[in-house]
Amino acid sequence: MEFENVNWIAVGAGTVVAFLFGWLVYSPLLFARPWAQGSGVELNKDSKPPMGAMLLQIIGLFFLATVIGITATFDALVAAILAILAAAALTISNGAFCKKSNAALAIDAGYIVGAGVLMILVQALL
């Protein structure tokens, strides 16, 4: 079965690292303002992230980290890269339907690719 040799510690760590990477990417330190403007989101001092969206983000990251973990057990790096690129392309497609700016699309796709790369690195290290 695919899950027998999965390194669940690396899956969990990859999920957490990717989530924290998202906090950085979408923070005022990096791309909060251009992403919000390009996504039609208003940011103010009292803005709080929607908890439902945050929960779904964690679930999605866990699923991607699990796919990366499974591909690691089969030495299938190309499959992991394709899964990451598929997630990024679907994110861009969805954002384009919502008429996000090119900057917001690039930030969203860059986050997915960066999160995937971090997950691969965590698998390699742990």
Side-chain angles (χ1 to χ4, degrees):
M1 189 167 158
E2 292 90 8
F3 297 109
E4 287 177 5
N5 297 316
V6 170
N7 181 344
W8 291 107
I9 293 171
V11 168
T15 301
V16 170
V17 168
F19 186 77
L20 294 174
F21 176 63
W23 276 95
L24 179 62
V25 167
Y26 294 101
S27 77
L29 293 173
L30 290 182
F31 304 115
R33 191 168 294 123
W35 176 84
Q37 289 173 345
S39 299
V41 173
E42 284 189 42
L43 293 179
N44 56 47
K45 293 179 198 174
D46 299 328
S47 292
K48 294 181 183 176
M51 287 300 116
M54 299 299 278
L55 178 62
L56 287 171
Q57 182 73 15
I58 292 169
I59 292 168
L61 289 170
F62 175 75
F63 289 159
L64 184 57
T66 302
V67 169
I68 302 302
I70 292 168
T71 62
T73 66
F74 292 104
D75 292 324
L77 180 60
V78 172
I81 292 169
L82 289 173
I84 294 163
L85 293 176
L90 291 169
T91 298
I92 293 170
S93 173
N94 186 41
F97 272 107
C98 297
K99 301 190 187 305
K100 286 187 172 187
S101 71
N102 288 338
L105 294 174
I107 292 164
D108 287 340
Y111 167 62
I112 296 295
V113 171
V117 168
L118 288 170
M119 290 174 185
I120 290 170
L121 290 174
V122 168
Q123 282 290 329
L125 294 172
L126 297 179

